[in-house]
Amino acid sequence: MSRIKGEVMWPRLVASKIFKKRLGSHNFVADYPTATGEPFMEIPPCFNHKSLTPSATFIKDRDEETRNYKVFVSTWNVGGVEPTENSVMDELIDHTNPCDIYVFGFQEVVPLRAGNVLGPEKSKIWMKWNSLIRGALMKTKEEESCFRCIISKQMVGILISVWVRAELRPYVRNPSVSCVGCGIMGCLGNKGSVSVRFRLHETSFCFVCSHLASGGREGHHKYRNSNVQEILSRTIFPRGSSLHLPTNILHHDRVIFLGDLNYRISLPESTTRLLVYEQDWNALLEHDQLRMELMEGQVLEGWHEGNIKFRPTYKYYPGSDKYYGSFEGKKGEKKRAPAWCDRIIWQGEGLKQDLYERVESKLSDHRPVRAIFSTQVRVKLKLRALGNFFLSERFERITNSSTHFQDHFPTCNSRFSLHLTDF
């Protein structure tokens, strides 16, 4: 009986994993979750142009300004190792260069065994990583500024967590996620992506955290190319009721693709190791599979990557600075030539990369990689005028007097919320 029960349960688990992950959703963890993905701030109909005095002047919709923000992005394959020290995130975050948005991408936050691939996501893991992120970000605060998690989503071993400065959170709209499994049977989540998107002011952002097919043999890069094609074609976000937002990755204004992309160096292992020893990065990059795809490939042509001036990030003995296979290992132990498996690439105007480097954490067999971008964001000037009105002394005098408030806004319920997309 137990055997029959097991034979019935496995297909059911597989089917559940497939169908639960197919479409975009608002099913994610956040400090201020929204069940429908609607904007955080809502203005009731009674607050219209006629309700406000000439002192609260609105500028025409087409008038915008551009603001500059800094975005931190990191990717780290943690090899199924659960962190034991609170300082593990301090190594990853550049406290000397604070940013406005932080995006943390992880791979293998759990070991990729069958129980984790087919079973439910373990909340204990992402809760621990988010707790470590929160503690580390508290150390970057300036003038009592803190950070809020707007999206955190896990699929098997892939975890992405997005944080923004508290003062920016009201201007983040329509956050949503989309998971694509490319692993076992071409659909399970041991490989694939978790993509997140949101709109900051008038600019849409999309971050794709991926773990692509492994393998260092000749021709294995085609599996990775296939994974990328699947991710780009199968990722679908909800359109949203109030904004006609893009439903696929490439139609967003700013797109950043990060993760253990697993692309290798197409050279004999001995040659690769010699060039790594000599630190001849240019010679190695001429044969780097991802670089070749970026320049002339059919999958990622037109995407951008910063200059690589750091050692390959894979594969190390955990807790060591020694590359795997650099000395005589156990009998039958597979060798892994060094490679830049962990990468951050981007697409879209208005992005400028200011930093691209690896971090020297020895937690796993991969070294983390981080980048900092400067990005331009479009802001409607009328929203600034509206904000100034609500922060003005006149609005404070109105709200301090309930009678006066009802005289000005007789149809407005005192328990209102702000809906900035109505203006």
Side-chain angles (χ1 to χ4, degrees):
M1 177 64 72
S2 61
R3 180 182 175 184
I4 295 174
K5 183 178 179 181
E7 290 175 350
V8 172
M9 284 299 295
W10 280 106
R12 188 176 299 169
L13 287 169
V14 171
S16 174
K17 279 288 184 175
I18 294 172
F19 291 112
K20 280 173 61 179
K21 302 294 184 182
R22 280 203 179 277
L23 298 179
S25 72
H26 305 108
N27 180 22
F28 54 84
V29 177
D31 284 347
Y32 298 91
T34 54
T36 62
E38 287 303 299
F40 290 115
M41 303 181 71
E42 184 170 349
I43 298 173
C46 63
F47 282 94
N48 52 39
H49 294 265
K50 295 180 181 178
S51 304
L52 304 174
T53 63
S55 61
T57 304
F58 286 89
I59 301 174
K60 295 180 181 179
D61 286 2
R62 65 177 179 270
D63 292 336
E64 295 180 342
E65 72 175 13
T66 299
R67 295 182 187 174
N68 294 318
Y69 293 103
K70 293 174 68 175
V71 182
F72 173 98
V73 180
S74 66
T75 179
W76 191 3
N77 185 322
V78 296
V81 180
E82 188 172 344
T84 57
E85 298 180 4
N86 292 336
S87 61
V88 68
M89 292 304 300
D90 291 329
E91 300 175 334
L92 187 60
I93 296 174
D94 185 358
H95 293 292
T96 65
N97 196 357
C99 296
D100 303 290
I101 302 170
Y102 284 83
V103 180
F104 301 92
F106 301 94
Q107 303 81 43
E108 296 191 45
V109 293
V110 295
L112 299 183
R113 51 178 175 255
N116 290 328
V117 174
L118 294 172
E121 270 69 54
K122 297 180 178 179
S123 61
K124 177 184 174 183
I125 297 298
W126 61 253
M127 288 175 65
K128 182 162 189 176
W129 280 108
N130 274 6
S131 177
L132 294 175
I133 291 170
R134 190 185 304 276
L137 287 178
M138 288 295 291
K139 299 177 183 179
T140 68
K141 64 181 181 180
E142 296 178 336
E143 299 178 358
E144 302 304 319
S145 174
C146 56
F147 291 86
R148 295 288 180 257
C149 178
I150 60 167
I151 306 174
S152 185
K153 182 67 175 179
Q154 179 187 353
M155 179 185 74
V156 189
I158 301 173
L159 170 65
I160 186 169
S161 192
V162 182
W163 300 65
V164 301
R165 287 193 180 277
E167 58 267 30
L168 288 181
R169 187 199 60 80
Y171 306 104
V172 173
R173 295 175 286 168
N174 292 84
S176 59
V177 301
S178 181
C179 300
V180 171
C182 300
I184 300 170
M185 298 168 52
C187 56
L188 293 185
N190 57 306
K191 294 292 189 293
S193 67
V194 178
S195 301
V196 302
R197 73 94 183 274
F198 59 89
R199 193 178 184 94
L200 176 59
H201 289 292
E202 303 305 312
T203 300
S204 61
F205 288 82
C206 181
F207 298 91
V208 184
C209 183
S210 304
H211 193 182
L212 305 185
S214 60
R217 294 182 181 176
E218 184 178 355
H220 280 183
H221 70 284
K222 294 179 181 179
Y223 297 128
R224 296 183 269 279
N225 291 349
S226 176
N227 287 171
V228 173
Q229 288 177 323
E230 288 286 304
I231 289 168
L232 294 178
S233 63
R234 289 168 49 196
T235 297
I236 301 175
F237 296 104
R239 187 174 295 278
S241 58
S242 58
L243 289 174
H244 294 294
L245 290 172
T247 58
N248 60 50
I249 291 172
L250 297 179
H251 288 171
H252 288 80
D253 297 319
R254 316 280 185 264
V255 183
I256 297 180
F257 202 108
L258 58 127
D260 179 1
L261 306 189
N262 254 322
Y263 284 99
R264 308 302 171 89
I265 299 168
S266 295
L267 287 172
E269 180 185 342
S270 58
T271 305
T272 298
R273 292 186 185 276
L274 176 61
L275 291 173
V276 169
Y277 177 79
E278 296 175 348
Q279 299 188 28
D280 192 343
W281 310 142
N282 290 334
L284 286 168
L285 287 168
E286 288 179 4
H287 301 274
D288 177 78
Q289 294 171 353
L290 179 57
R291 280 296 170 103
M292 290 189 283
E293 288 300 324
L294 293 174
M295 290 187 293
E296 56 190 35
Q298 300 298 315
V299 178
L300 291 167
E301 186 178 9
W303 289 71
H304 308 284
E305 184 181 29
N307 292 329
I308 292 180
K309 298 180 180 179
F310 50 85
R311 299 175 66 85
T313 57
Y314 173 85
K315 173 180 172 72
Y316 285 90
Y317 291 100
S320 169
D321 285 323
K322 296 290 185 180
Y323 282 109
Y324 201 79
S326 56
F327 51 83
E328 193 65 30
K330 298 179 181 179
K331 185 176 181 180
E333 186 177 62
K334 293 182 179 179
K335 290 189 176 183
R336 297 284 190 275
W340 287 286
C341 288
D342 310 278
R343 312 286 276 268
I344 300 171
I345 61 177
W346 76 92
Q347 187 183 77
E349 297 180 359
L351 278 173
K352 176 180 175 293
Q353 192 177 70
D354 303 320
L355 176 75
Y356 193 34
E357 63 184 13
R358 72 177 224 167
V359 180
E360 299 306 319
S361 173
K362 302 176 185 178
L363 180 71
S364 76
D365 55 349
H366 289 250
R367 292 293 191 265
V369 170
R370 66 186 177 190
I372 292 179
F373 295 88
S374 299
T375 183
Q376 296 177 336
V377 172
R378 301 187 309 276
V379 179
K380 283 189 177 181
L381 295 177
K382 66 181 180 181
L383 297 185
R384 184 177 64 180
L386 178 64
N388 290 340
F389 169 73
F390 283 114
L391 295 174
S392 67
E393 293 182 4
R394 177 177 176 274
F395 183 72
E396 185 176 354
R397 290 197 302 270
I398 292 174
T399 55
N400 284 339
S401 171
S402 59
T403 303
H404 198 184
F405 184 80
Q406 291 297 326
D407 290 342
H408 279 76
F409 309 108
T411 63
C412 190
N413 189 307
S414 61
R415 296 179 64 185
F416 63 83
S417 58
L418 297 177
H419 196 322
L420 294 183
T421 58
D422 287 345
F423 285 79

